[in-house]
Amino acid sequence: AMDTDLSSQDRKDLDKFIKFFALKTVQVIVQARLGEKICTRSSSSPTGSDWFNLAIKDIPEVTHEAKKALAGQLPAVGRSMCVEISLKTSEGDSMELEIWCLEMNEKCDKEIKVSYTVYNRLSLLLKSLLAITRVTPAYRLSRKQGHEYVILYRIYFGEVQLSGLGEGFQTVRVGTVGTPVGTITLSCAYRINLAFMSTRQFERTPPIMGIIIDHFVDRPYPSSSPMHPCNYRAGEDNGAVYPSVEDSQEVCTTSFSTSPPSQCVFTVTKAHFQTPPPVVMDTLKVPVMGLAFSHQLSSSRLSYQPAALGVGSADMGYPLLFAGGLNAAHPHQLIGPGKDGGVPPIPSQPAHGTQADQERMCTPLDGVHYSAATPSSSEDTETVSNSSEGKCGSPHDLLETIFIRKVGAFVNKPINQVTMANLDIPFAMFAPKNVELEDNDPMVNPPDSPEIESPLQGSLHSEGSSGSSTGNTQDDFVMIDFKPAFSKDDILPMDLGTFYREFQNPPQLSSLSIDIGAQSMAEDLDSLPEKLAVHEKNVKEFDAFVETLQ
Amino acid sequence: PRRTHHRALPAASPAMNCRAEVLEVSVEGRQVEEAMLAVLHTVLLHRSTGKFHYKKEGTYSIGTVGTQDVDCDFIDFAYVRVSSEELDRALRKAVGEFKDALRNSGSDGMGQISLEFYQKKKSRWPFSDECIPWELWTIKVNVVNLANEQERQICREKVGEKLCEKIINIVEVMNRHEYLPKMPTQSEVDNVFDTSLKDVQPYLYKISYQITDSLGTSVTTTMRRLIKDTLAL
């Protein structure tokens, strides 16, 4: 390429622009897959060297990874920067979802002005990237991550490899910017056969027969893999300190902006989509980013240690978090981005959390905690998200997340009360402890309602009933003073509250009863091949039947 | 078969360099606002810069544009908008009026909302300044009525997918790097940009809308409002 036409200053500027464009591209992509809503503040005064006049936060680890992959090079023909986004399930299966490619081709635009037009077009391209990262299928998946799968990213430099995306992947072009040394193109290739699986597959649907075993294998996080989670980092770099601001020589020095880097402020907001209560992931200590702080994690097991960080300015960026290690032998470095590029290390907090946490967790045995994932406990811990919700401005709170191993999906009793501890079967707690006799069956003998709303009510109770509703041993939840809204109805002899109380505890389905259910289940499974054979034989009849329905 | 009559908006008469893009969506009534905001915000994200601060010798510095994610309540969709409450309020006001107009127009439920970017060209007295459009985005809306919850759920997803396509279309147009007004000097900046907002600086724009009447010949319930966000001269 003839770059004699390009002044050396322009060339230097262009290289810098491309380098920072690459770094910002990675930040936008990874941040869009963290599973959280992003929010940065506009700033009218050029506190500027926000590159490309956009408030895009730099997550230090991500910058570190990107620089590592680039190794001092810039995207060029045949040397593309790729950000691979993949999904990894709790069982360890992983699948590539997207490859974002920043490529350079040979088509040069000699006439274009580097410091002005190229810069502004790169800014426009980043805005397009912000928009496009929300419309590929992986976005919605990443918003729901945390429970059954996580989203990982990997940066590599060189040849683009799309083979992992499966057949029929689609490509969307984000945009191109011509420069005197070549044309920068940014695009995304994404797997499509996931699009139909997407949200439905990974939403929590209750199993019909409790067959689904939903426990996590105690699998250490593969620290040797180059993959990185979009919402937490592998443990091998624990304690490493990353510079949170670019080297001083790399401050953006275009004619548009002059001042030192500003800090963008992030807010942590609850994920909008309905997400199931969290049950996490891994026994390794892993640092968690404030940004990546999903609703799931925030609502289950946190210890809050609001601390005056004493870093200085009011709009200090969000704090980085390091998990209190389960095997923490040494305190962890906590880093808050400083205003002027320094990285003041903040004395860490003890690993095992505050008083509040002790109540919810049992003493660790072998470094493993069991936790009650009750809805009530989740309310307490939402205070941090609430305090920053809806605002761009993070409180000076330190958040520490402790990762613990899950014990069965819907177990909502502390570990010492779970009698079915060996069976990680969802809904185990709903299985009746003993087989019920008909006399105790509230459906047959509904308890008296304490509130008689209408004279006709008494006649609905069967003759044998005599107890009070609170004596019902089936009650895991006792309803007190249940006054349903709008429930008064003169037409029905019974009000809604009474109805609800009476029919609140229907008998267990026999198939859900563990003892009987497991047996019959085994029988059912054994007889399946025969049944299938029979059905196959009768296929024509079934088809004919279906025809009659249409 | 319905006859629809579209009256062209006078402000939208194409000038030499005005490119026009048309997007069409079919949505349920309660999705109108979010769908319109998603499209308008996406366009304005690309058509807004940071505030200019002019310095000596004709140079200027540009402020920083923040962005934020917005989740839709009635559509399975999320989009990015510029972090500016003033801008968001202005768009919501316009979209709200459009939605009300659609609702009040009767059962037809068809209309369109337009976002026009223009430049002001000063004229000598006694002529008033001209507004010369250079880009026009029109979103045609068709409001559907759904019978049951299942259809609504499907609609949530389908409209979400459609909006993803629209975003991709918008980005394609933006990427063409076609005509943009020259960066103005300090004296000209108000002819190109809306400088009234305190945190961001969109290109001068107007939003207008019209409702289509099903009866055809005359547009009985057309309402046309120009919502100016610049200082009225």
Side-chain angles (χ1 to χ4, degrees):
Chain A
M2 279 198 315
D3 49 12
T4 49
D5 296 344
L6 199 61
S7 77
S8 73
Q9 180 58 46
D10 271 352
R11 182 65 205 246
K12 263 185 13 195
D13 284 347
L14 183 59
D15 285 348
K16 213 200 293 189
F17 294 170
I18 296 176
K19 170 182 167 185
F20 281 94
F21 179 75
L23 296 177
K24 288 296 183 181
T25 293
V26 175
Q27 290 288 348
V28 169
I29 294 168
V30 172
Q31 290 174 27
R33 298 288 175 264
L34 290 175
E36 275 295 326
K37 284 164 74 164
I38 306 299
C39 177
T40 61
R41 228 190 245 145
S42 300
S43 167
S44 76
S45 48
T47 59
S49 88
D50 286 316
W51 276 95
F52 310 105
N53 309 118
L54 285 172
I56 298 172
K57 184 67 184 177
D58 287 317
I59 300 177
E61 273 102 330
V62 174
T63 301
H64 179 81
E65 287 301 317
K67 284 183 169 173
K68 215 164 68 174
L70 286 171
Q73 296 182 307
L74 290 176
V77 180
R79 291 202 316 258
S80 309
M81 189 188 74
C82 300
V83 181
E84 177 190 286
I85 300 291
S86 58
L87 176 151
K88 183 166 163 176
T89 66
S90 54
E91 277 90 41
D93 300 316
S94 67
M95 167 168 52
E96 282 175 32
L97 299 178
E98 305 172 316
I99 315 274
W100 297 84
C101 306
L102 177 59
E103 301 171 280
M104 189 74 124
N105 71 30
E106 287 146 341
K107 187 165 161 213
C108 301
D109 183 344
K110 297 287 179 198
E111 307 298 320
I112 203 169
K113 286 190 68 181
V114 169
S115 66
Y116 170 72
T117 310
V118 172
Y119 190 81
N120 285 332
R121 288 187 180 176
L122 289 174
S123 176
L124 197 69
L125 188 51
L126 277 176
K127 292 172 177 174
S128 295
L129 183 63
L130 282 163
I132 296 287
T133 43
R134 274 66 177 173
V135 306
T136 53
Y139 180 72
R140 286 180 57 76
L141 279 176
S142 67
R143 290 292 298 267
K144 293 183 190 251
Q145 70 179 294
H147 173 74
E148 294 175 17
Y149 60 89
V150 289
I151 304 294
L152 310 175
Y153 75 93
R154 180 171 79 96
I155 308 172
Y156 64 89
F157 189 72
E159 294 254 338
V160 180
Q161 285 151 23
L162 300 178
S163 52
L165 293 175
E167 278 184 24
F169 62 85
Q170 286 195 353
T171 311
V172 60
R173 168 187 277 203
V174 183
T176 63
V177 174
T179 78
V181 303
T183 298
I184 296 168
T185 68
L186 186 52
S187 60
C188 173
Y190 59 94
R191 171 185 287 272
I192 53 160
N193 53 16
L194 188 64
F196 304 100
M197 292 162 59
S198 65
T199 56
R200 264 173 242 122
Q201 166 117 353
F202 291 101
E203 265 168 37
R204 179 165 282 284
T205 49
I208 299 165
M209 285 185 71
I211 298 174
I212 299 166
I213 304 298
D214 192 18
H215 64 272
F216 287 81
V217 175
D218 186 7
R219 195 184 291 264
Y221 193 83
S223 56
S224 56
S225 151
M227 302 290 276
H228 304 288
C230 284
N231 64 1
Y232 57 91
R233 276 278 275 114
E236 79 265 11
D237 287 333
N238 211 0
V241 172
Y242 298 112
S244 64
V245 178
E246 306 301 321
D247 302 338
S248 58
Q249 300 101 306
E250 300 185 33
V251 163
C252 167
T253 52
T254 67
S255 59
F256 304 124
S257 39
T258 53
S259 335
S262 69
Q263 293 300 324
C264 305
V265 188
F266 265 64
T267 183
V268 174
T269 60
K270 289 191 211 171
H272 171 83
F273 303 113
Q274 294 301 317
T275 50
V279 272
V280 156
M281 298 294 127
D282 208 292
T283 55
L284 288 188
K285 42 192 179 184
V286 282
V288 172
M289 323 268 202
L291 235 203
F293 205 54
S294 71
H295 173 63
Q296 293 96 328
L297 295 174
S298 74
S299 64
S300 76
R301 42 196 78 92
L302 297 176
S303 65
Y304 294 105
Q305 297 153 20
L309 294 172
V311 178
S313 80
D315 59 345
M316 187 198 94
Y318 68 89
L320 287 181
L321 318 172
F322 284 83
L326 300 171
N327 306 312
H330 56 87
H332 294 279
Q333 284 284 317
L334 290 162
I335 299 174
K339 184 82 173 154
D340 294 312
V343 182
I346 295 154
S348 70
Q349 311 291 334
H352 286 293
T354 59
Q355 276 305 98
D357 253 5
Q358 302 301 336
E359 290 158 9
R360 285 197 301 280
M361 294 192 205
C362 306
T363 333
L365 301 164
D366 302 322
V368 171
H369 291 184
Y370 291 96
S371 146
T374 56
S376 56
S377 68
S378 70
E379 305 311 329
D380 309 331
T381 59
E382 278 176 3
T383 51
V384 170
S385 340
N386 285 339
S387 64
S388 58
E389 189 177 337
K391 301 205 240 303
C392 278
S394 62
H396 290 198
D397 285 337
L398 285 181
L399 305 170
E400 198 175 84
T401 300
I402 299 176
F403 285 88
I404 50 196
R405 208 177 92 199
K406 176 182 92 74
V407 71
F410 292 98
V411 179
N412 71 349
K413 286 182 167 31
I415 182 64
N416 52 7
Q417 287 181 35
V418 173
T419 57
M420 315 276 186
N422 294 332
L423 289 171
D424 274 326
I425 295 179
F427 304 117
M429 55 154 295
F430 292 113
K433 275 111 189 147
N434 28 51
V435 180
E436 292 180 342
L437 301 173
E438 211 183 29
D439 290 344
N440 294 336
D441 189 338
M443 284 296 278
V444 177
N445 301 310
D448 265 335
S449 158
E451 282 174 59
I452 305 280
E453 297 288 333
S454 120
L456 294 177
Q457 209 162 19
S459 63
L460 287 176
H461 294 180
S462 70
E463 321 238 348
S465 113
S466 56
S468 72
S469 61
T470 56
N472 193 334
T473 53
Q474 262 70 10
D475 275 336
D476 283 320
F477 303 96
V478 176
M479 213 109 57
I480 303 166
D481 270 351
F482 183 80
K483 288 202 191 323
F486 311 116
S487 67
K488 291 249 190 290
D489 189 335
D490 293 329
I491 300 169
L492 290 176
M494 182 193 299
D495 79 311
L496 180 61
T498 317
F499 175 84
Y500 192 97
R501 265 191 299 277
E502 288 185 9
F503 299 106
Q504 148 188 10
N505 284 310
Q508 293 297 327
L509 295 177
S510 59
S511 54
L512 278 185
S513 142
I514 296 298
D515 304 326
I516 297 176
Q519 267 178 356
S520 62
M521 216 189 299
E523 286 166 5
D524 285 344
L525 286 173
D526 285 337
S527 66
L528 270 179
E530 297 169 24
K531 289 188 182 160
L532 279 174
V534 167
H535 290 321
E536 270 180 28
K537 244 183 17 166
N538 299 331
V539 142
K540 284 209 176 56
E541 283 181 25
F542 285 121
D543 286 342
F545 174 65
V546 168
E547 293 286 342
T548 66
L549 293 174
Q550 288 174 353
Chain B
R2 248 188 321 208
R3 277 200 294 163
T4 60
H5 180 83
H6 298 259
R7 178 175 297 166
L9 300 165
S13 57
M16 273 214 300
N17 286 323
C18 180
R19 64 181 161 270
E21 305 294 333
V22 179
L23 305 164
E24 292 193 43
V25 290
S26 288
V27 295
E28 228 200 327
R30 61 184 189 164
Q31 295 173 322
V32 169
E33 282 187 274
E34 289 180 331
M36 297 303 103
L37 285 170
V39 171
L40 294 175
H41 268 303
T42 300
V43 172
L44 277 161
L45 168 68
H46 289 81
R47 293 286 179 248
S48 300
T49 75
K51 299 278 293 175
F52 282 14
H53 297 269
Y54 287 91
K55 299 177 286 200
K56 285 191 276 233
E57 296 132 23
T59 60
Y60 60 96
S61 56
I62 308 182
T64 300
V65 172
T67 58
Q68 55 187 254
D69 279 308
V70 182
D71 288 334
C72 294
D73 292 323
F74 301 113
I75 314 174
D76 287 347
F77 185 73
Y79 61 93
V80 176
R81 71 168 173 91
V82 164
S83 286
S84 164
E85 293 313 309
E86 287 174 275
L87 184 63
D88 189 39
R89 270 200 301 270
L91 293 187
R92 283 180 183 275
K93 183 161 179 275
V95 166
E97 291 178 16
F98 174 61
K99 185 200 78 173
D100 291 339
L102 268 180
R103 204 166 10 138
N104 298 335
S105 71
S107 59
D108 184 69
M110 280 183 66
Q112 62 184 51
I113 189 166
S114 296
L115 170 62
E116 175 194 297
F117 293 101
Y118 66 95
Q119 277 174 270
K120 268 198 275 199
K121 190 164 155 212
K122 298 250 186 256
S123 303
R124 285 183 193 282
W125 183 87
F127 302 107
S128 58
D129 293 344
E130 272 183 85
C131 292
I132 304 173
W134 53 270
E135 189 173 77
L136 174 67
W137 296 86
T138 303
I139 313 165
K140 294 192 173 170
V141 179
N142 177 36
V143 180
V144 298
N145 291 312
L146 299 177
N148 61 46
E149 204 50 47
Q150 195 185 8
E151 284 183 23
R152 271 187 208 105
Q153 179 59 34
I154 295 173
C155 191
R156 281 184 69 101
E157 294 165 11
K158 283 269 178 287
V159 172
E161 287 166 25
K162 274 292 166 199
L163 284 177
C164 289
E165 287 172 31
K166 302 306 162 196
I167 302 304
I168 294 175
N169 294 344
I170 293 170
V171 163
E172 263 168 8
V173 172
M174 298 299 178
N175 180 57
R176 288 184 211 149
H177 300 305
E178 289 170 342
Y179 173 79
L180 283 179
K182 248 176 22 195
M183 281 299 147
T185 58
Q186 189 166 13
S187 55
E188 292 282 304
V189 69
D190 288 310
N191 295 336
V192 173
F193 286 104
D194 177 351
T195 55
S196 67
L197 298 150
K198 70 178 202 303
D199 44 14
V200 295
Q201 189 174 287
Y203 282 102
L204 282 175
Y205 71 93
K206 312 181 176 153
I207 299 179
S208 55
Y209 59 85
Q210 68 175 20
I211 308 300
T212 309
D213 189 294
S214 61
L215 294 181
T217 51
S218 69
V219 189
T220 57
T221 57
T222 294
M223 287 193 289
R224 208 165 51 75
R225 288 274 309 273
L226 293 177
I227 299 160
K228 284 185 179 228
D229 275 303
T230 58
L231 298 170
L233 291 169

